[in-house]
């Protein structure tokens, strides 16, 4: 059986958690392939809201096995909190949640290094979630990291000590005023590691490939978004992993030829948290409306998200790099009541009109060129069939489909599982 991928096409926060949760009934295995607790995947059902950071979004369904893949970085402390939050649901976590031995661990000193690095950058800071993501991936590629499988080795604490000591030296060298009590942080860390060790560690690439041979259906769940990809995103204002389709191959050990569907998730407009270029960002009343109606606050950090119109140039780029086969439009309901809706279809770049993403999309180089669409007044949050959507929205969707040459298969009209229209 093939592996299907689910990815965010913008700067994250597209609503991947909700869609994985909706799709899980069709899959035997849900596997996260990159990122870490910088992600906040929000799920709403039965009048309750849950935010997952590391645990795959299929965890609430009885039929699915959830795997944290080798490409993910795990902070045991946050992981333990996530597990604690799940206790009230009486889920069989021991058999439903499996962890790759090759996933890297986020140490308390990685978080401190993230803080020191950001502080040292001043105004040029990335706007990191301060979860230690960058420093952990640096240790991974620098071949210094500690992996989940190392926890099974007798000398892992010695290796921990060596790495943490090295980090302390690095933190000092930043010369920033970073206050911390490492003893306290380590106490919490080792307690959390003991909880993590109660779970089943697996050789996930072997598990997933065997499952494929046995005919099991697998959905690979991405985190963040394509424009935050370490290679193809708005570098250096990106995260430290490959958020695009290729990341599923390296983050799970599945071959490119085994990938079938690629679900690309995008919001009907655009948001971004943290620093970095954002050509269609709005600083007017429309931007405020999107933020307010869309409740645009980060699920992990609570920071307000920057809001703007849909950027089709950037979306086309993401569709291409990921090989998206189906589009899922999220938060269409947030646009209800707007008189005019704008879509960026090209950029003015060095005096010329271009329709591709150039090397730099900093605002001093780029001016978005918009096409305008008529809005709609109707509240669509209770609509459950595509035929009942307002004509203006259907025209907006058709335009996007034509421009991207990929069908919009799902339109989400609210955060709840039930507010999902299949086309
Ligand atoms: P880091 O991944 O914490 O190092 O953050 C790097 C950049 O990616 C910052 O701009 C963050 O705001 C952004 N970022 C990281 N994770 C997410 C996410 O899950 N959603 C949206 N933005 C994210």
């Amino acid at each position: 059986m093939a592996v299907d991928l689910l990815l965010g096409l913008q700067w994250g926060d597209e609503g991947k958690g909700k869609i994985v949760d909706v799709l899980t009934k069709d899959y035997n295995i849900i596997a996260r392939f990159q990122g870490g607790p910088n992600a906040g995947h929000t799920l709403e059902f039965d009048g309750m809201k849950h935010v997952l950071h590391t645990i795959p979004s299929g965890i609430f369904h009885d039929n699915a096995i959830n795997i944290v893949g080798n490409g993910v970085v795990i902070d045991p402390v946050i992981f333990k909190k996530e597990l604690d939050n799940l206790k009230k649901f009486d889920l069989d976590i021991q058999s439903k949640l499996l962890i790759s031995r090759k996933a890297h661990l986020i140490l308390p000193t990685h978080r401190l290094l993230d803080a020191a690095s950001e502080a040292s950058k001043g105004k040029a800071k990335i706007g990191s979630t301060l979860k230690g993501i960058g420093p952990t991936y640096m240790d991974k590629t620098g071949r210094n990291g500690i992996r989940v499988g190392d926890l099974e080795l007798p000398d892992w604490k010695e290796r921990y000590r060596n790495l943490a000591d090295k980090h302390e030296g690095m933190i000092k060298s930043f010369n920033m005023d970073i206050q911390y009590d490492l003893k306290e942080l380590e106490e919490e860390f080792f307690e959390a590691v003991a909880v993590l060790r109660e779970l089943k560690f697996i050789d996930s690439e072997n598990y997933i490939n065997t499952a494929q041979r046995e005919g099991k259906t697998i959905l690979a769940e991405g985190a963040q978004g394509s424009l935050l990809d370490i290679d193809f995103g708005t570098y250096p204002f990106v995260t430290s992993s490959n958020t695009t389709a290729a990341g599923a191959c390296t983050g799970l050990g599945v071959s490119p030829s085994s990938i079938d569907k690629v679900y690309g998730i995008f919001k009907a407009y655009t948001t971004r948290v943290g620093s970095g270029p954002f050509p269609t960002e709005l600083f007017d009343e429309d931007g405020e409306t999107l933020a307010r109606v869309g409740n645009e606050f980060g699920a992990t950090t609570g920071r307000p998200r920057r809001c703007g119109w849909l950027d089709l140039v950037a979306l086309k780029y993401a569709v291409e790099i990921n090989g998206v086969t189906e589009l899922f439009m999220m938060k269409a309901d947030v646009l209800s009541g707007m008189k005019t809706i704008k879509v960026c279809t090209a950029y003015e770049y060095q005096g010329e009109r271009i329709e591709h993403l150039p090397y730099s999309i900093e605002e001093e180089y780029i001016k978005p060129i918009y096409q305008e669409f008529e809005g709609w007044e109707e509240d669509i949050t209770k609509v459950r069939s595509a035929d009942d959507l307002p004509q203006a929205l259907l025209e907006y969707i058709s335009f996007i489909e034509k421009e991207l040459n990929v069908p919009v298969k799902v339109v989400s009209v609210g955060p709840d599982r039930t507010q999902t229209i299949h086309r």
Side-chain angles (χ1 to χ4, degrees):
M1 281 303 269
V3 178
D4 295 337
L5 307 187
L6 183 137
L7 307 154
L9 300 181
Q10 295 159 317
W11 278 288
D13 307 317
E14 296 91 353
K16 296 174 291 290
K18 165 176 167 165
I19 294 299
V20 175
D21 176 56
V22 167
L23 293 179
T24 300
K25 59 177 182 3
D26 302 327
Y27 291 92
N28 302 119
I29 295 173
I30 311 295
R32 258 285 292 273
F33 61 85
Q34 47 69 231
N38 47 350
H41 291 175
T42 307
L43 289 69
E44 285 193 44
F45 55 87
D46 300 340
M48 281 188 284
K49 180 171 166 173
H50 316 277
V51 181
L52 296 167
H53 299 288
T54 325
I55 296 173
S57 306
I59 198 72
F60 294 105
H61 289 261
D62 287 337
N63 61 319
I65 294 289
N66 290 261
I67 298 177
V68 178
N70 59 279
V72 176
V73 290
I74 301 175
D75 183 335
V77 176
I78 297 179
F79 201 78
K80 177 176 176 294
K81 285 186 190 143
E82 279 189 75
L83 289 174
D84 287 344
N85 287 339
L86 289 179
K87 273 188 183 143
K88 56 179 176 285
F89 295 100
D90 203 22
L91 305 168
D92 183 7
I93 295 288
Q94 301 294 334
S95 54
K96 280 169 58 99
L97 182 59
L98 311 175
I99 317 287
S100 171
R101 287 197 173 87
K102 292 194 172 82
H104 279 246
L105 291 179
I106 302 176
L107 312 186
T109 42
H110 281 132
R111 265 184 275 138
L112 298 170
L113 272 172
D114 208 355
S117 164
E118 281 285 79
S120 74
K121 286 191 160 106
K123 276 205 178 116
K125 71 174 183 182
I126 308 295
S128 144
T129 59
L130 301 178
K131 303 292 176 196
I133 305 297
T136 307
Y137 278 113
M138 278 166 72
D139 270 338
K140 175 177 176 173
T141 51
R143 295 161 294 181
N144 299 311
I146 295 181
R147 302 190 287 180
V148 166
D150 293 338
L151 300 176
E152 296 171 323
L153 304 176
D155 70 338
W156 90 266
K157 280 207 172 158
E158 217 173 286
R159 295 179 51 188
Y160 166 84
R161 189 74 274 142
N162 288 340
L163 190 55
D165 287 350
K166 186 177 142 200
H167 288 162
E168 282 223 274
M170 289 162 71
I171 294 162
K172 278 199 192 86
S173 74
F174 276 105
N175 225 357
M176 291 288 123
D177 185 24
I178 303 292
Q179 303 288 331
Y180 61 93
D181 178 344
L182 190 55
K183 269 218 148 39
E184 206 176 286
L185 292 173
E186 285 182 341
E187 220 168 90
E188 183 186 41
F189 176 74
F190 289 122
E191 213 177 283
V193 164
V195 173
L196 183 64
R197 288 184 68 163
E198 286 167 18
L199 295 181
K200 203 182 270 172
F201 299 163
I202 58 164
D203 298 325
S204 54
E205 64 280 27
N206 180 39
Y207 184 99
I208 289 171
N209 282 298
T210 306
Q212 257 183 279
R213 272 196 303 280
E214 287 170 353
K216 303 251 165 67
T217 49
I218 301 166
L219 179 67
E221 175 183 9
Q224 291 81 51
S226 299
L227 301 174
L228 288 171
D229 183 277
I230 185 72
D231 282 282
F232 300 109
T234 45
Y235 192 88
F237 302 102
V238 293
T239 190
S240 297
S241 61
N242 281 117
T243 57
T244 43
C249 296
T250 56
L252 291 175
V254 296
S255 71
S257 59
S258 67
I259 293 168
D260 184 19
K261 290 184 188 139
V262 181
Y263 305 121
I265 316 293
F266 72 104
K267 269 183 197 163
Y269 48 100
T270 311
T271 62
R272 169 162 208 174
V273 232
S275 331
F278 179 179
T280 61
E281 183 169 10
L282 290 168
F283 301 96
D284 59 7
E285 228 173 80
D286 283 338
E288 278 165 30
T289 304
L290 291 174
R292 181 175 34 82
V293 181
N295 192 24
E296 294 295 354
F297 295 93
T300 296
T301 58
R303 291 180 291 177
R305 295 178 185 140
R306 301 154 63 193
C307 296
W309 296 121
L310 187 66
D311 184 340
L312 270 185
V313 182
L315 204 54
K316 210 179 270 180
Y317 176 76
V319 164
E320 205 162 83
I321 285 184
N322 292 306
V324 172
T325 59
E326 293 182 21
L327 287 162
F328 289 21
M329 182 197 265
M330 309 303 288
K331 291 192 137 178
D333 54 298
V334 175
L335 295 180
S336 295
M338 299 196 96
K339 247 193 155 41
T340 305
I341 294 164
K342 292 189 191 176
V343 183
C344 168
T345 51
Y347 298 140
E348 192 185 306
Y349 178 71
Q350 297 175 339
E352 271 180 47
R353 178 194 164 96
I354 59 165
E355 290 181 8
H356 69 274
L357 212 68
Y359 180 69
S360 176
I361 59 166
E362 301 291 340
E363 60 193 59
E364 62 261 42
Y365 306 112
I366 284 271
K367 230 179 98 195
I369 299 170
Y370 289 111
Q371 183 148 336
E372 293 193 2
F373 287 81
E374 217 176 281
W376 60 91
E377 280 301 323
E378 299 94 312
D379 170 11
I380 56 170
T381 55
K382 295 192 175 62
V383 174
R384 294 294 176 267
S385 153
D387 297 336
D388 299 332
L389 288 172
Q391 193 52 33
L393 172 55
L394 291 172
E395 276 167 28
Y396 183 60
I397 294 170
S398 301
F399 178 76
I400 293 166
E401 287 180 320
K402 219 163 73 224
E403 287 287 303
L404 301 177
N405 207 15
V406 181
V408 174
K409 288 287 207 183
V410 167
V411 181
S412 175
V413 292
D416 196 87
R417 253 182 206 167
T418 57
Q419 294 172 302
T420 312
I421 299 171
H422 296 263
R423 296 172 80 228

